Amino acid sequence: MVPLAPACAEYEFPPLFDIYQTDGWRIQIPTSGAPRRTAGPGQATYWKDGKPDPSNGVPTGGMNGTAIDITIPWSNGSRGRFTGTVQADGTVTGTSVDETNTNHQFKWNARKLPCAATAVAPADQAPAASNVNKRKAANDVDISDGPQDDAAIIGMLNEGEVVDVAPGCETDVKCEVIGRGWVWGNHLVKVFGRA
């Protein structure tokens, strides 16, 4: 019988938090902190149908427990407020409103958030402490200098290479490889037992 993974005790944002509104707009918000629970620093952007809007804004707010509350004063004069709730499984849903025109309200969702801290597992189910944040490259993969999609490639992680990653590494986000750079999580597999 395979033991269940311990539940997540605390979620965090990926380096770039994407909100998908029901009206088709996608908002991308940079995040920071350790764990990443703060919106900003940096410029939030938004686009629809692959066409970016020229507006941007510096987000404030973040995540407190399971509540998300982020405000973005957009450069076009509007002011977006995004409130939501993180569910036990890491999925997020919420509501957005333009505070300068409250008739513009939409539902939104986001991809499952990475886990920043797991609940303590019983001793017989806990992974070896030396391998908690170890991952192995499933194939040769580029290493970039940041979590952004357009970050510069600075090296290569070779297939089978075992590395340490920062907490919150999931398959659908870029993971920070300690001391090396950033790699998409779908190219990394968890290491259990001996590496």
Side-chain angles (χ1 to χ4, degrees), residues 8-19:
C8 186
E10 180 180 34
Y11 287 97
E12 68 178 343
F13 292 122
L16 294 171
F17 179 51
D18 289 318
I19 288 177

Side-chain angles (χ1 to χ4, degrees), residues 46-133:
Y46 63 96
W47 61 92
K48 186 175 189 175
D49 300 325
K51 297 175 186 165
D53 187 281
S55 301
N56 56 55
V58 177
T60 59
M63 188 185 326
N64 185 4
T66 59
I68 293 175
D69 191 347
I70 298 172
T71 301
I72 305 169
W74 296 107
S75 59
N76 65 6
S78 64
R79 184 176 171 89
R81 184 165 183 202
F82 303 86
T83 56
T85 304
V86 182
Q87 305 302 316
D89 66 355
T91 58
V92 185
T93 57
T95 303
S96 64
V97 63
D98 179 350
E99 293 182 333
T100 64
N101 180 355
T102 56
N103 289 328
H104 289 164
Q105 294 187 25
F106 301 97
K107 299 288 184 192
W108 61 266
N109 63 58
R111 291 184 176 153
K112 183 177 177 181
L113 296 179
C115 184
T118 55
V120 176
D124 63 341
Q125 293 182 10
S130 63
N131 293 326
V132 170
N133 289 317

Side-chain angles (χ1 to χ4, degrees), residues 94-179:
T95 303
S96 64
V97 63
D98 179 350
E99 293 182 333
T100 64
N101 180 355
T102 56
N103 289 328
H104 289 164
Q105 294 187 25
F106 301 97
K107 299 288 184 192
W108 61 266
N109 63 58
R111 291 184 176 153
K112 183 177 177 181
L113 296 179
C115 184
T118 55
V120 176
D124 63 341
Q125 293 182 10
S130 63
N131 293 326
V132 170
N133 289 317
K134 291 204 179 290
R135 299 290 190 278
K136 180 168 59 172
N139 55 307
D140 290 345
V141 61
D142 291 332
I143 300 173
S144 62
D145 66 354
Q148 305 83 359
D149 288 340
D150 61 350
I153 295 172
I154 58 171
M156 169 81 63
L157 192 60
N158 297 314
E159 181 177 354
E161 190 173 347
V162 176
V163 294
D164 291 317
V165 297
C169 182
E170 298 289 335
T171 58
D172 59 348
V173 299
K174 276 193 174 178
C175 299
E176 183 179 5
V177 178
I178 305 298

